Amino acid sequence: MLVLGIESSCDETGIALYDTEKGLLSHHLHSQIAMHAEYGGVVPELASRDHIRRVLPLTEACLKDANQTLADIDAIAYTEGPGLAGALLVGASIANALGFALGKPVIPVHHLEGHLLSPLLATPRPEFPFVALLVSGGHSQLMAVRGVGKYELLGETVDDAAGEAFDKTAKLLGLPYPGGPALSKLAEQGDPKRFTLPRPMLHSGDLDFSFSGLKTAVLTLVKQQAELTEQTKADIARAFQEAIVEVLVKKSVAALKQTGMKQIVVAGGVGANKQLRNQLDEAAAKRKLSVFYPPLAFCTDNGAMIAFAGAQRLQFANHDYRFMIKPRWDLSSLPAA
């Protein structure tokens, strides 16, 4: 079965073709970073309009790369939610219009399920069950994953998500949009011993996170500096990253201990962070645990994860082309595949 995946939940248009026998055949991604940089963040209306411009040309490029035609597609998967309403509507309407025109079924996909399953696109790949650490600009969660659609929330952020904290801290340091990757790069030049920042909820006794207070601590530290030199910015960035990574790693290890599982997968944009990967690898090696990551290209939003998740849910395909979007959508409401 050949599945076309369409991702349009926020500011990246992702298209991919996944074959249930041959694997991922092709994928294309257009990022709107340059367009939104002028505004310092995502402008929903501009995002929606850009998705309209990009979906069909990217689809044509994917088909050409895979030496396939529209007639070869067996099903079309699209992101139904969560995400920006206008952006979701673009992907949903185009997917259902294509499905109707081609007489092919369409499959609504939960965006977070796409992220959770994206490490299965890597080699080597984890086997069920595993703990998933989902860390992005909008989500920070630890999940017990026992199969497709079999998800148990173990802990989540009570305020800012990890990626959101990265972006807000970067803005405090005067770094360009998108702030998270810029802060991570700057932190590589920082002295880890110069400043120490709090580790929120590190000893809370549960698996929840809190990053809003860490951002406030950075603001206080910035105001205390007589001069905010580039080296001082790098040192603050390093202290922030040290704090957030320590919390993520220790909570992840605690989740494995609590569930008795031996594998953890990391998904979401923050999963590309080098320090997080290094420290998780070290912690896992000490405890004889396994860590899996999606390919770097699939850490952020992408069409490949939607095509793959759709391929796992072919039995839920919609044949009548009536659709809705779900800007807010509880992952635990999904049926098991």
Side-chain angles (χ1 to χ4, degrees), residues 101-120:
L102 299 172
K104 306 293 184 179
V106 294
I107 310 160
V109 172
H110 194 296
H111 181 76
L112 298 188
E113 181 170 59
H115 276 302
L116 285 179
L117 300 179
S118 61
L120 298 176

Side-chain angles (χ1 to χ4, degrees), residues 159-292:
D159 42 53
D160 290 354
E164 185 180 4
F166 265 94
D167 290 339
K168 289 181 177 179
T169 299
K171 194 170 185 178
L172 290 175
L173 296 176
L175 301 180
Y177 174 85
L183 187 145
S184 296
K185 185 176 182 180
L186 181 63
E188 294 177 5
Q189 312 302 318
D191 179 357
K193 297 181 180 179
R194 182 177 176 188
F195 299 115
T196 300
L197 290 169
R199 273 63 169 160
M201 297 186 71
L202 186 62
H203 304 292
S204 62
D206 56 33
L207 298 176
D208 288 334
F209 305 99
S210 172
F211 299 116
S212 180
L214 182 57
K215 173 200 64 183
T216 303
V218 171
L219 176 61
T220 301
L221 184 58
V222 167
K223 289 181 176 179
Q224 290 173 345
Q225 306 309 305
E227 183 181 3
L228 199 62
T229 64
E230 287 304 309
Q231 185 58 52
T232 296
K233 288 182 180 180
D235 295 340
I236 293 174
R238 182 59 180 267
F240 168 82
Q241 185 167 272
E242 290 276 340
I244 209 165
V245 166
E246 182 177 346
V247 172
L248 291 173
V249 171
K250 289 199 173 182
K251 295 272 186 174
S252 296
V253 171
L256 288 166
K257 184 177 181 180
Q258 178 177 306
T259 60
M261 296 180 184
K262 302 296 183 182
Q263 302 176 104
I264 184 166
V265 307
V266 184
V270 181
N273 184 277
K274 292 180 182 178
Q275 187 174 346
L276 175 61
R277 288 189 173 216
N278 290 338
Q279 292 195 16
L280 267 177
D281 287 342
E282 290 176 7
K286 287 180 182 178
R287 297 164 177 82
K288 296 183 179 180
L289 304 170
S290 300
V291 188
F292 297 87

Side-chain angles (χ1 to χ4, degrees), residues 29-74:
L29 182 73
H30 174 76
S31 172
Q32 300 175 0
I33 284 176
M35 180 177 67
H36 295 297
E38 181 180 353
Y39 305 95
V42 177
V43 181
E45 179 64 24
L46 295 181
S48 303
R49 293 180 182 183
D50 199 64
H51 286 308
I52 294 171
R53 289 192 291 266
R54 307 292 178 181
V55 171
L56 293 181
L58 290 177
T59 299
E60 291 172 355
C62 275
L63 288 168
K64 183 178 180 181
D65 286 353
N67 195 29
Q68 303 288 324
T69 68
L70 284 174
D72 295 319
I73 295 172
D74 295 302

